[in-house]
Short mmCIF file of all heavy atoms in Angstrom, two decimals:
data_model
loop_
_atom_site.label_atom_id
_atom_site.label_comp_id
_atom_site.label_asym_id
_atom_site.label_seq_id
_atom_site.Cartn_x
_atom_site.Cartn_y
_atom_site.Cartn_z
N MET A 1 0.89 -1.17 0.07
CA MET A 1 0.00 -0.01 -0.03
C MET A 1 0.88 1.22 -0.06
O MET A 1 1.91 1.30 0.62
CB MET A 1 -0.85 0.00 1.21
CG MET A 1 -1.68 1.26 1.29
SD MET A 1 -2.97 1.08 2.67
CE MET A 1 -3.84 2.60 2.26
N THR A 2 0.45 2.25 -0.69
CA THR A 2 1.17 3.48 -0.75
C THR A 2 0.38 4.52 0.16
O THR A 2 -0.76 4.69 0.00
CB THR A 2 1.25 4.07 -2.15
OG1 THR A 2 1.94 3.09 -3.00
CG2 THR A 2 2.03 5.38 -2.20
N TYR A 3 1.21 5.19 0.96
CA TYR A 3 0.65 6.23 1.91
C TYR A 3 1.00 7.57 1.35
O TYR A 3 2.04 7.80 0.72
CB TYR A 3 1.17 6.02 3.24
CG TYR A 3 0.79 4.81 3.89
CD1 TYR A 3 1.58 3.61 3.76
CD2 TYR A 3 -0.38 4.62 4.66
CE1 TYR A 3 1.19 2.45 4.25
CE2 TYR A 3 -0.77 3.47 5.20
CZ TYR A 3 -0.05 2.32 5.08
OH TYR A 3 -0.35 1.11 5.63
N GLU A 4 0.20 8.55 1.59
CA GLU A 4 0.53 9.97 1.23
C GLU A 4 1.75 10.53 1.94
O GLU A 4 2.50 11.19 1.37
CB GLU A 4 -0.73 10.85 1.35
CG GLU A 4 -1.74 10.59 0.34
CD GLU A 4 -1.32 10.71 -1.12
OE1 GLU A 4 -0.68 11.71 -1.37
OE2 GLU A 4 -1.66 9.86 -1.84
N MET A 5 1.85 10.18 3.24
CA MET A 5 3.01 10.72 4.03
C MET A 5 3.41 9.69 4.98
O MET A 5 2.66 9.01 5.64
CB MET A 5 2.51 12.01 4.82
CG MET A 5 3.74 12.58 5.67
SD MET A 5 3.31 13.98 6.60
CE MET A 5 2.98 15.17 5.22
N GLY A 6 4.77 9.54 5.05
CA GLY A 6 5.44 8.76 6.09
C GLY A 6 6.17 9.68 7.05
O GLY A 6 6.83 10.67 6.62
N ILE A 7 6.01 9.28 8.26
CA ILE A 7 6.59 10.08 9.37
C ILE A 7 7.71 9.26 9.95
O ILE A 7 7.48 8.22 10.45
CB ILE A 7 5.57 10.47 10.48
CG1 ILE A 7 4.52 11.36 9.81
CG2 ILE A 7 6.20 11.23 11.58
CD1 ILE A 7 3.23 10.65 9.73
N ILE A 8 8.98 9.77 9.89
CA ILE A 8 10.11 9.11 10.43
C ILE A 8 10.40 9.80 11.79
O ILE A 8 10.79 10.88 11.84
CB ILE A 8 11.37 9.15 9.51
CG1 ILE A 8 11.05 8.65 8.15
CG2 ILE A 8 12.60 8.53 10.17
CD1 ILE A 8 10.64 7.21 8.07
N GLY A 9 10.10 8.98 12.83
CA GLY A 9 10.19 9.60 14.18
C GLY A 9 8.86 10.11 14.68
O GLY A 9 8.32 11.09 14.17
N ALA A 10 8.31 9.39 15.63
CA ALA A 10 6.91 9.73 16.15
C ALA A 10 6.95 10.32 17.49
O ALA A 10 6.28 9.88 18.39
CB ALA A 10 6.10 8.42 16.14
N GLY A 11 7.88 11.27 17.64
CA GLY A 11 7.91 11.90 18.93
C GLY A 11 6.92 13.02 19.26
O GLY A 11 5.89 13.10 18.37
N GLN A 12 7.09 13.90 20.11
CA GLN A 12 6.08 14.83 20.46
C GLN A 12 5.83 15.94 19.38
O GLN A 12 4.82 16.33 19.09
CB GLN A 12 6.47 15.57 21.76
CG GLN A 12 6.42 14.65 22.97
CD GLN A 12 6.75 15.25 24.25
OE1 GLN A 12 7.30 16.37 24.29
NE2 GLN A 12 6.52 14.59 25.35
N MET A 13 6.94 16.27 18.68
CA MET A 13 6.71 17.30 17.55
C MET A 13 5.99 16.67 16.49
O MET A 13 5.13 17.27 15.88
CB MET A 13 8.15 17.81 17.09
CG MET A 13 8.00 18.85 16.04
SD MET A 13 7.05 20.35 16.50
CE MET A 13 8.09 21.04 17.73
N ALA A 14 6.28 15.49 16.13
CA ALA A 14 5.56 14.71 14.98
C ALA A 14 4.14 14.54 15.44
O ALA A 14 3.25 14.82 14.61
CB ALA A 14 6.22 13.42 14.71
N GLU A 15 3.93 14.29 16.68
CA GLU A 15 2.52 14.08 17.10
C GLU A 15 1.77 15.47 17.00
O GLU A 15 0.55 15.47 16.48
CB GLU A 15 2.50 13.74 18.61
CG GLU A 15 1.13 13.57 19.14
CD GLU A 15 1.09 13.32 20.67
OE1 GLU A 15 2.17 12.96 21.18
OE2 GLU A 15 -0.06 13.34 21.23
N ALA A 16 2.32 16.55 17.42
CA ALA A 16 1.72 17.87 17.21
C ALA A 16 1.35 18.21 15.69
O ALA A 16 0.26 18.66 15.39
CB ALA A 16 2.50 18.94 17.80
N ILE A 17 2.36 17.90 14.83
CA ILE A 17 2.16 18.18 13.45
C ILE A 17 1.06 17.29 12.86
O ILE A 17 0.12 17.80 12.20
CB ILE A 17 3.46 17.99 12.62
CG1 ILE A 17 4.44 19.05 13.04
CG2 ILE A 17 3.23 17.98 11.18
CD1 ILE A 17 5.92 18.80 12.54
N VAL A 18 1.05 16.02 13.22
CA VAL A 18 0.06 15.06 12.62
C VAL A 18 -1.31 15.39 13.19
O VAL A 18 -2.26 15.33 12.47
CB VAL A 18 0.46 13.61 12.98
CG1 VAL A 18 -0.65 12.71 12.73
CG2 VAL A 18 1.77 13.28 12.20
N ARG A 19 -1.39 15.73 14.41
CA ARG A 19 -2.74 16.20 14.99
C ARG A 19 -3.32 17.37 14.23
O ARG A 19 -4.46 17.31 13.82
CB ARG A 19 -2.62 16.48 16.48
CG ARG A 19 -2.56 15.14 17.42
CD ARG A 19 -2.58 15.57 18.88
NE ARG A 19 -2.26 14.38 19.73
CZ ARG A 19 -3.20 13.50 19.99
NH1 ARG A 19 -4.46 13.61 19.61
NH2 ARG A 19 -2.89 12.51 20.79
N GLY A 20 -2.37 18.34 13.91
CA GLY A 20 -2.85 19.51 13.12
C GLY A 20 -3.26 19.12 11.70
O GLY A 20 -4.22 19.60 11.26
N LEU A 21 -2.47 18.18 11.01
CA LEU A 21 -2.90 17.78 9.73
C LEU A 21 -4.18 16.97 9.74
O LEU A 21 -5.09 17.15 8.83
CB LEU A 21 -1.78 16.77 9.23
CG LEU A 21 -0.44 17.46 8.88
CD1 LEU A 21 0.57 16.37 8.50
CD2 LEU A 21 -0.62 18.45 7.80
N LEU A 22 -4.44 16.23 10.73
CA LEU A 22 -5.68 15.44 10.87
C LEU A 22 -6.91 16.36 11.12
O LEU A 22 -7.92 16.22 10.60
CB LEU A 22 -5.62 14.28 11.94
CG LEU A 22 -4.57 13.22 11.55
CD1 LEU A 22 -4.44 12.26 12.82
CD2 LEU A 22 -4.99 12.44 10.35
N GLN A 23 -6.67 17.28 12.12
CA GLN A 23 -7.71 18.16 12.45
C GLN A 23 -8.14 19.07 11.36
O GLN A 23 -9.34 19.49 11.22
CB GLN A 23 -7.40 18.99 13.65
CG GLN A 23 -7.41 18.12 14.93
CD GLN A 23 -6.89 18.92 16.16
OE1 GLN A 23 -6.43 20.06 16.13
NE2 GLN A 23 -6.98 18.26 17.42
N SER A 24 -7.15 19.42 10.55
CA SER A 24 -7.45 20.32 9.30
C SER A 24 -8.14 19.64 8.25
O SER A 24 -8.71 20.24 7.37
CB SER A 24 -6.17 20.90 8.85
OG SER A 24 -5.45 19.90 8.12
N GLY A 25 -8.10 18.31 8.22
CA GLY A 25 -8.77 17.53 7.22
C GLY A 25 -7.87 17.37 6.01
O GLY A 25 -8.31 16.79 5.01
N LEU A 26 -6.63 17.84 6.09
CA LEU A 26 -5.63 17.75 4.92
C LEU A 26 -5.35 16.23 4.66
O LEU A 26 -5.28 15.83 3.48
CB LEU A 26 -4.40 18.57 5.23
CG LEU A 26 -3.42 18.64 4.15
CD1 LEU A 26 -4.12 19.37 2.97
CD2 LEU A 26 -2.21 19.45 4.54
N TYR A 27 -5.24 15.44 5.72
CA TYR A 27 -4.96 14.02 5.58
C TYR A 27 -6.03 13.29 6.51
O TYR A 27 -6.40 13.79 7.49
CB TYR A 27 -3.57 13.58 5.99
CG TYR A 27 -2.56 14.19 5.11
CD1 TYR A 27 -1.77 15.32 5.42
CD2 TYR A 27 -2.15 13.41 3.90
CE1 TYR A 27 -0.82 15.75 4.67
CE2 TYR A 27 -1.18 13.95 3.14
CZ TYR A 27 -0.46 15.12 3.44
OH TYR A 27 0.52 15.48 2.70
N ALA A 28 -6.31 12.02 6.01
CA ALA A 28 -7.02 11.08 6.85
C ALA A 28 -6.04 10.04 7.43
O ALA A 28 -4.91 9.88 6.86
CB ALA A 28 -8.06 10.23 5.97
N PRO A 29 -6.32 9.47 8.58
CA PRO A 29 -5.36 8.55 9.17
C PRO A 29 -4.90 7.46 8.33
O PRO A 29 -3.72 7.07 8.41
CB PRO A 29 -6.13 8.01 10.42
CG PRO A 29 -7.09 9.04 10.79
CD PRO A 29 -7.53 9.68 9.44
N GLN A 30 -5.76 7.01 7.44
CA GLN A 30 -5.38 5.99 6.51
C GLN A 30 -4.34 6.37 5.42
O GLN A 30 -3.74 5.49 4.80
CB GLN A 30 -6.59 5.37 5.76
CG GLN A 30 -7.74 4.93 6.61
CD GLN A 30 -8.66 6.03 7.14
OE1 GLN A 30 -8.40 7.27 6.90
NE2 GLN A 30 -9.69 5.71 7.94
N GLN A 31 -4.10 7.60 5.34
CA GLN A 31 -3.12 8.13 4.37
C GLN A 31 -1.74 8.25 5.04
O GLN A 31 -0.76 8.58 4.28
CB GLN A 31 -3.59 9.50 3.85
CG GLN A 31 -4.89 9.39 3.03
CD GLN A 31 -5.24 10.79 2.59
OE1 GLN A 31 -5.70 11.62 3.36
NE2 GLN A 31 -5.12 11.01 1.37
N LEU A 32 -1.58 7.89 6.30
CA LEU A 32 -0.28 8.21 7.02
C LEU A 32 0.24 6.91 7.62
O LEU A 32 -0.44 6.04 7.86
CB LEU A 32 -0.49 9.24 8.15
CG LEU A 32 -1.13 10.56 7.70
CD1 LEU A 32 -1.39 11.36 8.95
CD2 LEU A 32 -0.24 11.32 6.71
N ILE A 33 1.53 6.84 7.60
CA ILE A 33 2.26 5.76 8.31
C ILE A 33 3.41 6.43 9.07
O ILE A 33 4.11 7.39 8.63
CB ILE A 33 2.86 4.77 7.27
CG1 ILE A 33 3.51 3.56 7.98
CG2 ILE A 33 3.74 5.36 6.29
CD1 ILE A 33 3.78 2.42 7.07
N ALA A 34 3.68 5.86 10.33
CA ALA A 34 4.71 6.48 11.16
C ALA A 34 5.65 5.38 11.60
O ALA A 34 5.21 4.23 11.97
CB ALA A 34 4.13 7.19 12.42
N ALA A 35 6.92 5.80 11.66
CA ALA A 35 7.95 4.83 12.13
C ALA A 35 8.61 5.32 13.32
O ALA A 35 9.02 6.53 13.38
CB ALA A 35 8.98 4.52 11.06
N ASP A 36 8.86 4.47 14.42
CA ASP A 36 9.62 4.98 15.60
C ASP A 36 10.20 3.68 16.28
O ASP A 36 9.47 2.67 16.23
CB ASP A 36 8.66 5.73 16.48
CG ASP A 36 9.53 6.60 17.50
OD1 ASP A 36 10.04 6.03 18.49
OD2 ASP A 36 9.62 7.79 17.30
N VAL A 37 11.24 3.90 16.88
CA VAL A 37 11.89 2.70 17.57
C VAL A 37 11.17 2.45 18.95
O VAL A 37 11.24 1.37 19.41
CB VAL A 37 13.43 2.85 17.77
CG1 VAL A 37 14.10 3.02 16.50
CG2 VAL A 37 13.65 4.16 18.50
N ALA A 38 10.59 3.47 19.42
CA ALA A 38 9.99 3.32 20.90
C ALA A 38 8.50 2.77 20.71
O ALA A 38 7.68 3.43 20.02
CB ALA A 38 10.00 4.64 21.46
N GLU A 39 8.24 1.68 21.23
CA GLU A 39 6.92 1.06 21.17
C GLU A 39 5.88 1.93 21.74
O GLU A 39 4.78 2.04 21.21
CB GLU A 39 6.86 -0.36 21.89
CG GLU A 39 5.62 -0.96 21.64
CD GLU A 39 5.58 -2.38 22.20
OE1 GLU A 39 6.61 -2.86 22.66
OE2 GLU A 39 4.50 -2.97 22.23
N PRO A 40 6.07 2.64 22.92
CA PRO A 40 5.02 3.50 23.49
C PRO A 40 4.61 4.60 22.47
O PRO A 40 3.40 4.93 22.44
CB PRO A 40 5.69 4.16 24.71
CG PRO A 40 6.75 3.11 25.08
CD PRO A 40 7.18 2.62 23.85
N ARG A 41 5.53 5.15 21.69
CA ARG A 41 5.18 6.10 20.81
C ARG A 41 4.34 5.55 19.59
O ARG A 41 3.44 6.16 19.04
CB ARG A 41 6.40 6.85 20.16
CG ARG A 41 7.17 7.63 21.27
CD ARG A 41 6.27 8.67 22.03
NE ARG A 41 5.76 9.67 21.04
CZ ARG A 41 4.85 10.60 21.36
NH1 ARG A 41 4.45 10.71 22.63
NH2 ARG A 41 4.33 11.41 20.48
N ARG A 42 4.76 4.31 19.09
CA ARG A 42 4.02 3.72 18.08
C ARG A 42 2.55 3.37 18.56
O ARG A 42 1.56 3.61 17.77
CB ARG A 42 4.71 2.38 17.63
CG ARG A 42 6.06 2.63 16.87
CD ARG A 42 6.51 1.38 16.27
NE ARG A 42 6.53 0.25 17.10
CZ ARG A 42 7.63 -0.21 17.73
NH1 ARG A 42 8.74 0.53 17.76
NH2 ARG A 42 7.56 -1.35 18.44
N LEU A 43 2.47 2.97 19.77
CA LEU A 43 1.09 2.64 20.37
C LEU A 43 0.28 3.94 20.37
O LEU A 43 -0.88 3.91 20.07
CB LEU A 43 1.24 2.07 21.75
CG LEU A 43 1.67 0.59 21.75
CD1 LEU A 43 1.92 0.19 23.24
CD2 LEU A 43 0.66 -0.32 21.12
N LEU A 44 0.82 5.04 20.80
CA LEU A 44 0.10 6.26 20.85
C LEU A 44 -0.37 6.67 19.47
O LEU A 44 -1.60 6.94 19.27
CB LEU A 44 0.91 7.50 21.39
CG LEU A 44 0.26 8.80 21.56
CD1 LEU A 44 0.70 9.43 22.74
CD2 LEU A 44 0.44 9.63 20.32
N PHE A 45 0.43 6.57 18.48
CA PHE A 45 0.03 6.91 17.09
C PHE A 45 -0.99 5.94 16.60
O PHE A 45 -1.96 6.41 15.86
CB PHE A 45 1.29 6.95 16.20
CG PHE A 45 1.84 8.31 16.11
CD1 PHE A 45 2.51 8.82 17.17
CD2 PHE A 45 1.99 8.93 14.80
CE1 PHE A 45 3.16 10.09 17.12
CE2 PHE A 45 2.56 10.16 14.75
CZ PHE A 45 3.16 10.76 15.86
N SER A 46 -0.92 4.71 16.88
CA SER A 46 -1.91 3.77 16.34
C SER A 46 -3.17 3.80 17.07
O SER A 46 -4.20 3.71 16.51
CB SER A 46 -1.21 2.29 16.29
OG SER A 46 -0.93 1.89 17.64
N GLU A 47 -3.09 3.84 18.42
CA GLU A 47 -4.39 3.85 19.18
C GLU A 47 -5.11 5.19 19.24
O GLU A 47 -6.32 5.22 19.05
CB GLU A 47 -4.04 3.35 20.64
CG GLU A 47 -3.63 1.95 20.67
CD GLU A 47 -3.15 1.49 22.07
OE1 GLU A 47 -3.20 2.24 22.99
OE2 GLU A 47 -2.84 0.28 22.11
N GLN A 48 -4.39 6.28 19.43
CA GLN A 48 -5.05 7.53 19.56
C GLN A 48 -5.34 8.22 18.22
O GLN A 48 -6.31 8.77 17.96
CB GLN A 48 -4.22 8.49 20.43
CG GLN A 48 -4.24 8.12 21.88
CD GLN A 48 -3.57 9.19 22.69
OE1 GLN A 48 -3.30 10.30 22.36
NE2 GLN A 48 -3.03 8.74 23.96
N LEU A 49 -4.28 8.14 17.33
CA LEU A 49 -4.42 8.86 16.01
C LEU A 49 -4.89 7.87 14.97
O LEU A 49 -5.22 8.38 13.86
CB LEU A 49 -3.06 9.51 15.68
CG LEU A 49 -2.55 10.49 16.72
CD1 LEU A 49 -1.11 10.94 16.23
CD2 LEU A 49 -3.45 11.64 16.90
N LYS A 50 -4.96 6.57 15.15
CA LYS A 50 -5.43 5.63 14.19
C LYS A 50 -4.51 5.48 12.99
O LYS A 50 -4.98 5.33 11.89
CB LYS A 50 -6.88 5.85 13.75
CG LYS A 50 -7.77 6.00 14.99
CD LYS A 50 -7.80 4.75 15.79
CE LYS A 50 -8.83 4.98 16.95
NZ LYS A 50 -8.53 4.18 18.05
N ILE A 51 -3.28 5.72 13.11
CA ILE A 51 -2.28 5.75 12.11
C ILE A 51 -1.46 4.45 12.11
O ILE A 51 -1.05 4.02 13.21
CB ILE A 51 -1.31 6.90 12.13
CG1 ILE A 51 -2.06 8.25 11.90
CG2 ILE A 51 -0.15 6.84 11.19
CD1 ILE A 51 -1.31 9.43 12.31
N LYS A 52 -1.26 3.86 10.97
CA LYS A 52 -0.42 2.63 10.95
C LYS A 52 1.02 2.96 11.37
O LYS A 52 1.52 4.06 10.98
CB LYS A 52 -0.37 2.06 9.53
CG LYS A 52 0.57 0.81 9.42
CD LYS A 52 0.48 0.21 8.08
CE LYS A 52 1.47 -0.99 7.92
NZ LYS A 52 1.43 -1.99 8.94
N THR A 53 1.53 2.15 12.21
CA THR A 53 2.92 2.42 12.68
C THR A 53 3.79 1.10 12.42
O THR A 53 3.32 -0.02 12.37
CB THR A 53 2.93 2.68 14.24
OG1 THR A 53 2.36 1.60 14.90
CG2 THR A 53 2.18 3.94 14.50
N VAL A 54 5.08 1.40 12.25
CA VAL A 54 6.07 0.39 12.04
C VAL A 54 7.32 0.76 12.88
O VAL A 54 7.51 1.85 13.21
CB VAL A 54 6.49 0.19 10.66
CG1 VAL A 54 5.21 -0.33 9.79
CG2 VAL A 54 6.91 1.51 9.96
N GLY A 55 8.08 -0.28 13.16
CA GLY A 55 9.41 0.03 13.90
C GLY A 55 10.61 0.20 12.97
O GLY A 55 11.66 0.56 13.38
N ASP A 56 10.29 0.05 11.66
CA ASP A 56 11.39 0.00 10.62
C ASP A 56 11.25 1.32 9.76
O ASP A 56 10.34 1.47 8.93
CB ASP A 56 11.24 -1.22 9.87
CG ASP A 56 12.28 -1.43 8.84
OD1 ASP A 56 13.45 -0.94 9.05
OD2 ASP A 56 12.09 -2.07 7.76
N ASN A 57 12.18 2.15 9.86
CA ASN A 57 12.22 3.42 9.05
C ASN A 57 12.16 3.18 7.53
O ASN A 57 11.30 3.78 6.82
CB ASN A 57 13.45 4.33 9.38
CG ASN A 57 13.35 4.95 10.66
OD1 ASN A 57 12.24 5.03 11.34
ND2 ASN A 57 14.48 5.38 11.22
N PRO A 58 12.97 2.24 6.98
CA PRO A 58 12.86 2.00 5.56
C PRO A 58 11.45 1.50 5.05
O PRO A 58 11.03 1.94 3.98
CB PRO A 58 13.87 0.97 5.34
CG PRO A 58 14.88 1.15 6.46
CD PRO A 58 14.09 1.44 7.57
N GLU A 59 10.77 0.83 5.90
CA GLU A 59 9.43 0.36 5.54
C GLU A 59 8.52 1.59 5.40
O GLU A 59 7.80 1.68 4.34
CB GLU A 59 8.87 -0.49 6.63
CG GLU A 59 7.43 -1.12 6.14
CD GLU A 59 6.87 -2.05 7.25
OE1 GLU A 59 7.70 -2.49 8.10
OE2 GLU A 59 5.68 -2.38 7.06
N ALA A 60 8.60 2.53 6.22
CA ALA A 60 7.73 3.69 6.12
C ALA A 60 8.17 4.55 5.00
O ALA A 60 7.39 5.18 4.28
CB ALA A 60 7.74 4.54 7.45
N ALA A 61 9.44 4.69 4.77
CA ALA A 61 10.00 5.50 3.58
C ALA A 61 9.63 4.96 2.22
O ALA A 61 9.28 5.71 1.41
CB ALA A 61 11.51 5.70 3.76
N ARG A 62 9.71 3.63 2.16
CA ARG A 62 9.37 3.04 0.83
C ARG A 62 7.95 3.12 0.46
O ARG A 62 7.66 3.17 -0.75
CB ARG A 62 9.80 1.51 0.92
CG ARG A 62 11.28 1.24 0.70
CD ARG A 62 11.46 -0.24 0.46
NE ARG A 62 10.94 -1.06 1.56
CZ ARG A 62 11.61 -1.49 2.61
NH1 ARG A 62 12.86 -1.14 2.76
NH2 ARG A 62 11.01 -2.16 3.57
N SER A 63 7.10 3.17 1.43
CA SER A 63 5.68 3.12 1.11
C SER A 63 4.98 4.51 1.13
O SER A 63 3.74 4.54 1.11
CB SER A 63 4.98 2.13 2.06
OG SER A 63 5.13 2.62 3.45
N ALA A 64 5.71 5.54 1.15
CA ALA A 64 5.19 6.88 1.25
C ALA A 64 5.56 7.80 0.12
O ALA A 64 6.68 7.74 -0.36
CB ALA A 64 5.49 7.60 2.60
N ASN A 65 4.66 8.67 -0.32
CA ASN A 65 4.91 9.57 -1.45
C ASN A 65 5.81 10.78 -0.86
O ASN A 65 6.53 11.41 -1.57
CB ASN A 65 3.61 10.22 -2.04
CG ASN A 65 2.89 9.08 -2.78
OD1 ASN A 65 3.43 8.19 -3.36
ND2 ASN A 65 1.51 9.23 -2.80
N THR A 66 5.51 11.16 0.36
CA THR A 66 6.15 12.29 0.98
C THR A 66 6.70 11.89 2.36
O THR A 66 6.01 11.06 3.10
CB THR A 66 5.20 13.49 1.24
OG1 THR A 66 4.69 13.83 -0.05
CG2 THR A 66 5.90 14.71 1.78
N LEU A 67 7.87 12.34 2.77
CA LEU A 67 8.40 11.97 4.07
C LEU A 67 8.52 13.22 5.02
O LEU A 67 8.94 14.32 4.54
CB LEU A 67 9.77 11.38 4.01
CG LEU A 67 9.85 9.95 3.47
CD1 LEU A 67 11.30 9.60 3.47
CD2 LEU A 67 9.12 9.07 4.48
N LEU A 68 8.09 13.02 6.24
CA LEU A 68 8.27 13.99 7.28
C LEU A 68 9.30 13.50 8.22
O LEU A 68 9.16 12.42 8.88
CB LEU A 68 7.01 14.31 8.02
CG LEU A 68 7.12 15.10 9.36
CD1 LEU A 68 7.54 16.55 9.02
CD2 LEU A 68 5.80 15.11 10.04
N LEU A 69 10.52 14.08 8.20
CA LEU A 69 11.60 13.69 9.16
C LEU A 69 11.47 14.44 10.40
O LEU A 69 11.63 15.65 10.51
CB LEU A 69 12.96 13.94 8.53
CG LEU A 69 13.31 13.25 7.23
CD1 LEU A 69 14.62 13.59 6.62
CD2 LEU A 69 13.12 11.75 7.41
N SER A 70 11.22 13.72 11.49
CA SER A 70 11.00 14.29 12.80
C SER A 70 11.86 13.55 13.84
O SER A 70 11.31 12.87 14.68
CB SER A 70 9.49 14.26 13.21
OG SER A 70 9.27 14.82 14.41
N VAL A 71 13.12 13.76 13.72
CA VAL A 71 14.08 13.11 14.61
C VAL A 71 14.99 14.10 15.29
O VAL A 71 15.09 15.27 14.79
CB VAL A 71 14.85 12.06 13.86
CG1 VAL A 71 14.03 10.95 13.31
CG2 VAL A 71 15.71 12.69 12.76
N ASN A 72 15.49 13.82 16.51
CA ASN A 72 16.41 14.66 17.12
C ASN A 72 17.72 14.81 16.30
O ASN A 72 18.16 13.88 15.72
CB ASN A 72 16.79 14.11 18.45
CG ASN A 72 15.64 14.29 19.50
OD1 ASN A 72 14.82 15.08 19.36
ND2 ASN A 72 15.59 13.29 20.40
N PRO A 73 18.29 16.08 16.28
CA PRO A 73 19.50 16.23 15.48
C PRO A 73 20.74 15.55 16.12
O PRO A 73 20.73 15.20 17.25
CB PRO A 73 19.73 17.78 15.57
CG PRO A 73 18.83 18.32 16.70
CD PRO A 73 17.75 17.20 16.87
#
């Protein structure tokens, strides 16, 4: 499946951006995929935001038209 946007890093900043995108109606949860190494962050995105999550960055990157990089420098 191809997603409109892949999010690499599902931390607090990514959460704020995604909540804004969803609330604005620009994207639906089914159009997004998020990758993070931390299981609690993946659970938050999948359970609260209803976004598919993966633990593998390349999986999210390969399946998305656009990438949002949201990782610590």
Side-chain angles (χ1 to χ4, degrees):
M1 177 172 187
T2 300
Y3 297 90
E4 288 302 314
M5 182 181 288
I7 299 108
I8 306 298
Q12 292 178 350
M13 183 57 69
E15 179 185 349
I17 292 169
V18 169
R19 285 186 187 277
L21 292 171
L22 295 174
Q23 288 174 355
S24 73
L26 190 59
Y27 290 101
Q30 302 83 356
Q31 295 177 289
L32 305 174
I33 184 169
D36 200 283
V37 296
E39 185 176 357
R41 295 305 300 173
R42 291 194 309 267
L43 286 173
L44 183 142
F45 269 64
S46 63
E47 292 176 358
Q48 289 186 20
L49 303 175
K50 308 302 182 203
I51 293 172
K52 177 174 174 53
T53 61
V54 294
D56 184 28
N57 291 342
E59 183 179 348
R62 280 191 303 267
S63 61
N65 293 328
T66 304
L67 285 178
L68 170 65
L69 299 178
S70 181
V71 296
N72 289 330

